Amino acid sequence: TLSGDPHEAMYALNLTDGLPVIPPTPSRVKSMLHNANQKQSDVLGAVPPSFSSCTVKHVACASVMAGCAPSTFPIVLAAIKAMLDPTFNLHGLHATTMGGTPCIVVNGPQSKALNSSIGALGSGCRTNATIGRALKLVLLNVGGAVCGGSESTTLGTPMKFTMCIAENEDSLRQEWRPLSVERGYNENETIVTVIP
């Protein structure tokens, strides 16, 4: 149980990335799951380095803890699915000493909720910051990726907290196409790409 200050208790239990998190109460998790088109018990894959099974509910808990708005949960789910695809080689990326981390790029209608302009990788945009942070909390709390333990980053980087952007499709030159279209998707679809 989290008696007293829940932020301090969750930090003491090593459930955070060092920053305060929002406690994943049943009502908050239920609100997040309302935006999923899957059952909360559906397994999305195995999260390295422990290779524990990750369910939709695990992702909902991490999304609440990260501060995601429930409307962004489908983007988080899509990013987790892409990241857990064996061809992505998440374990190789995350176990390196160079500090690599997944980068999320969002295209299409839902990308409008993200900052794709000045300061896109900086502070001030809840959506960009929390989507990437939810992925990192899944790695920590489901996969057991603890810095100094199973995660071997020699020097830290702000990217280890979050790395999520939207492509600014409205400012592309006429001869350029959005990343999602180059990858074969319809420009009217919301597409989430995760780059190692």
Side-chain angles (χ1 to χ4, degrees):
T1 64
L2 300 177
S3 60
D5 185 339
H7 302 292
E8 292 300 327
M10 292 175 81
Y11 181 78
L13 292 170
N14 203 29
L15 298 174
T16 80
D17 52 10
L19 297 173
V21 292
I22 296 172
T25 62
S27 63
R28 289 178 179 143
V29 172
K30 183 178 179 180
S31 178
M32 198 66 68
L33 288 167
H34 180 72
N35 290 283
N37 58 358
Q38 294 178 263
K39 292 185 282 188
Q40 65 178 338
S41 59
D42 285 353
V43 175
L44 304 173
V47 183
S50 70
F51 292 96
S52 297
S53 292
C54 180
T55 65
V56 172
K57 185 175 182 180
H58 288 135
V59 179
C61 288
S63 298
V64 168
M65 292 171 69
C68 292
S71 62
T72 64
F73 190 56
I75 295 172
V76 177
L77 273 177
I80 292 287
K81 289 177 191 175
M83 184 175 77
L84 295 181
D85 184 312
T87 60
F88 184 77
N89 190 20
L90 178 60
H91 185 57
L93 172 68
H94 210 257
T96 179
T97 58
M98 74 160 230
T101 197
C103 174
I104 306 159
V105 181
V106 182
N107 288 95
Q110 288 188 354
S111 71
K112 305 303 182 214
L114 285 84
N115 180 6
S116 64
S117 186
I118 296 171
L121 291 175
S123 61
C125 183
R126 173 185 178 187
T127 307
N128 293 52
T130 59
I131 290 173
R133 188 175 184 213
L135 265 69
K136 301 304 288 186
L137 289 172
V138 167
L139 286 168
L140 172 69
N141 293 320
V142 180
V146 178
C147 192
S150 55
E151 196 219 303
S152 306
T153 300
T154 304
L155 294 173
T157 169
M159 294 183 306
K160 288 294 199 173
F161 286 105
T162 184
M163 185 72 163
C164 178
I165 59 174
E167 185 171 11
N168 190 344
E169 297 172 12
D170 296 335
S171 70
L172 292 176
R173 293 169 42 177
Q174 186 174 359
E175 63 272 18
W176 292 358
R177 299 182 313 163
L179 174 64
S180 58
V181 174
E182 285 184 5
R183 295 184 61 237
Y185 295 97
N186 183 316
E187 65 183 284
N188 296 319
E189 293 178 89
T190 296
I191 301 298
V192 179
T193 304
V194 183
I195 302 168

